[in-house]
Amino acid sequence: MADELVGISHALHADPEIRWQEHHSAELLTGALEASGFRVERGAGGLDTAFVAGAGSGSRRVAFIAEYDALEGLGHACGHNIIAASGVGAGIALASIADDLDATVQVIGTPAEEGGGGKIHMIDAGVFDGVEIAMMIHPGPADAAYARPFAVAHFDVSYEGFAAHAAAYPSLGRNAADAFTIAQVAIGLLRQQLPSSVRVHGIVREAGTAPNAIPETSHGSWYVRASSLEELETVFQKVRRCFEAGALAADCELTITETSPRYSEFRNDDALVRAFAANAAARGIDLDLEEARAGGMNTASTDMGNVSQIVRAIHPYLSIDSLPAVNHQAAFADASATPRADRTVIDGATLLAQTAVDALVTER
């Protein structure tokens, strides 16, 4: 199936679709699965671009997770084309022996991982009910067995002030751009008191239209990350107060809107991780089970963390040898459709399927 899987990866890469808009991507994947005999439910969990494809009729349900949303302005700079193709490949491979293993195999298509929390919506809709094991791989610049992501809150920030001529009537204005400046200075000062397990970052999307007009509105998007949902809530309130300080000092109205459910930290199933790593070693891939190497992409946030809280799960990272390019750079998007990335598609599909067999056979 190598040529078919690489073709899927390249087709997704050539037509990147951002969160909630992955219509062509979902249709490409469901079409491939239907052609391989899978039963396909489109619009799973009430999400237009989600799906659940199933094969086999056994009592133990194993799911391979497909992500296929791209990054706005960067295309597949996180390599979700590789994730989706490997998940489809693993599902088709395992389906051929599913009934012999008393298994039902699913490929679950999960939209909007990049800031939309598609998997969390699907959890709430019951899509993962009855799933025993959920697995996926993620490409990166280096291999890593364990996922160690941060919990994260995604939110938009808006200030509303009052417009005025910046030279003739400045005293009439209330500057919404200044509110953001004050908030960002406050966040910068707060960082001295934040633990190393916390990240705060964001962008100002709009803060005025003309230099001689005091900006009436400003808008931005921000993330707060922490080692757990519990720590995240504590830090989120501190960061909120920084934005409130901006509103108070600039005499503006503040609106904070969380744009997705909060992503959880990840709970690794150690037996599955070790089985995956052993299979990888047989293919000449060292997944650093002892975690002697410095962490990298495996510390990024993912809504797969929420899945791992309710289902046995793994989320290992496989290198596409992209360095110096790393995830969320344009150069990483380029690296995600190279012969080396194509090899990762096949490695990922093979290792996921092998690991599922290990679990189904040894844990009977």
Side-chain angles (χ1 to χ4, degrees), residues 48-63:
D48 287 347
T49 54
F51 65 85
V52 176
S57 56
S59 64
R60 302 180 67 185
R61 197 184 312 172
V62 176

Side-chain angles (χ1 to χ4, degrees), residues 15-93:
D15 186 18
E17 297 173 305
I18 64 171
R19 63 183 178 273
W20 306 126
Q21 298 178 29
E22 315 95 328
H23 298 282
H24 294 146
S25 301
E27 193 56 39
L28 172 70
L29 297 171
T30 53
L33 289 160
E34 279 183 327
S36 294
F38 276 69
R39 309 174 294 271
V40 174
E41 175 194 355
R42 292 173 172 82
L47 304 178
D48 287 347
T49 54
F51 65 85
V52 176
S57 56
S59 64
R60 302 180 67 185
R61 197 184 312 172
V62 176
F64 301 110
I65 308 304
E67 296 174 358
Y68 35 91
D69 59 322
L71 287 157
E72 191 169 358
L74 286 171
H76 277 294
C78 209
H80 289 192
N81 57 303
I82 297 169
I83 296 171
S86 64
V88 167
I92 293 172

Side-chain angles (χ1 to χ4, degrees), residues 80-126:
H80 289 192
N81 57 303
I82 297 169
I83 296 171
S86 64
V88 167
I92 293 172
L94 190 61
S96 65
I97 55 171
D99 288 335
D100 296 332
L101 297 170
D102 188 28
T104 296
V105 182
Q106 291 186 327
V107 178
I108 301 181
T110 61
E113 190 276 335
E114 297 287 357
K119 295 181 190 64
I120 306 171
H121 293 285
M122 297 174 79
I123 290 170
D124 293 343

Side-chain angles (χ1 to χ4, degrees), residues 48-360:
D48 287 347
T49 54
F51 65 85
V52 176
S57 56
S59 64
R60 302 180 67 185
R61 197 184 312 172
V62 176
F64 301 110
I65 308 304
E67 296 174 358
Y68 35 91
D69 59 322
L71 287 157
E72 191 169 358
L74 286 171
H76 277 294
C78 209
H80 289 192
N81 57 303
I82 297 169
I83 296 171
S86 64
V88 167
I92 293 172
L94 190 61
S96 65
I97 55 171
D99 288 335
D100 296 332
L101 297 170
D102 188 28
T104 296
V105 182
Q106 291 186 327
V107 178
I108 301 181
T110 61
E113 190 276 335
E114 297 287 357
K119 295 181 190 64
I120 306 171
H121 293 285
M122 297 174 79
I123 290 170
D124 293 343
V127 171
F128 286 91
D129 292 354
V131 173
E132 179 181 337
I133 293 170
M135 298 187 290
M136 60 177 285
I137 62 97
H138 199 297
D143 300 309
Y146 290 97
R148 304 294 191 192
F150 296 101
V152 64
H154 312 85
F155 56 100
D156 285 348
V157 178
S158 296
Y159 290 106
E160 182 174 353
F162 195 80
H165 194 292
Y169 306 105
S171 61
L172 299 180
R174 290 183 281 119
N175 195 312
D178 286 353
F180 253 122
T181 300
I182 294 162
Q184 290 184 95
V185 170
I187 290 169
L189 294 171
L190 173 66
R191 284 193 171 97
Q192 182 183 12
Q193 284 77 49
L194 294 178
S196 59
S197 55
V198 169
R199 305 284 188 273
V200 182
H201 49 93
I203 58 171
V204 178
R205 296 184 179 276
E206 178 266 313
T209 57
N212 60 346
I214 289 174
E216 184 172 30
T217 60
S218 59
H219 306 284
S221 297
W222 288 75
Y223 290 6
V224 174
R225 306 183 197 249
S227 62
S228 67
L229 286 173
E230 182 179 9
E231 182 181 53
L232 175 62
E233 174 59 21
T234 299
V235 176
F236 183 83
Q237 295 306 323
K238 292 181 179 181
V239 173
R240 173 188 282 275
R241 287 193 286 272
C242 293
F243 288 109
E244 290 172 348
L248 180 64
D251 194 17
C252 292
E253 298 297 321
L254 167 67
T255 302
I256 294 178
T257 305
E258 293 199 48
T259 54
S260 85
R262 293 183 181 184
Y263 292 13
S264 172
E265 66 274 20
F266 197 90
R267 179 183 297 167
N268 292 278
D269 185 281
D270 198 62
L272 292 175
V273 170
R274 291 186 175 278
F276 188 96
N279 289 319
R283 294 178 73 86
I285 301 170
D286 174 15
L287 286 183
D288 186 28
L289 269 177
E290 303 308 316
E291 299 185 282
R293 298 191 290 262
M297 186 58 194
N298 66 323
T299 62
S301 305
T302 172
D303 57 2
M304 188 66 176
N306 300 70
V307 175
S308 77
Q309 299 299 317
I310 61 168
V311 176
R312 296 177 61 196
I314 60 172
H315 187 286
Y317 293 79
L318 295 179
S319 172
I320 60 171
D321 286 345
S322 61
L323 291 174
V326 297
N327 300 67
H328 290 211
Q329 294 178 338
F332 192 88
D334 295 338
S336 294
T338 60
R340 181 62 184 82
D342 298 343
R343 193 174 91 201
T344 297
V345 170
I346 307 307
D347 285 342
T350 304
L351 296 174
L352 288 170
Q354 288 176 331
T355 302
V357 171
D358 288 341
L360 291 166

